[in-house]
Amino acid sequence: MDIEYDPEREAVAAMKLAADANGAERQRWINAALAWIELTRLRAPFGREPREETA
C-alpha cells in the first residue's frame, strides 16, 4: 500500500495545531512536527529513485 503524503505539509499542519494548544498537548504537537521535518530531511527527493552504489 503506497500512500502519498507530503511530510513538509504535515509538519506545517502539526505546528498550526501546536499554536492552538497548551501545555503537554502543545509539546506533543511540536514533537510530531519535528518528526515530520526529520522525515522531510531524510526522504529521497520526490520522483527520483535512490541510486545503488557499486563497490
Side-chain angles (χ1 to χ4, degrees):
M1 184 163 111
D2 186 36
I3 299 173
E4 290 293 322
Y5 63 90
D6 179 8
E8 189 172 353
R9 184 183 65 225
E10 298 292 339
V12 170
M15 287 306 291
K16 287 179 182 179
L17 290 168
D20 292 336
N22 292 310
E25 183 181 359
R26 174 176 280 179
Q27 189 61 48
R28 282 192 294 272
W29 282 118
I30 291 169
N31 288 339
L34 290 172
W36 282 114
I37 290 168
E38 185 69 9
L39 284 173
T40 300
R41 192 177 72 77
L42 295 175
R43 187 176 180 199
F46 184 73
R48 291 183 8 177
E49 295 292 321
R51 294 187 324 181
E52 291 184 22
E53 293 186 26
T54 56

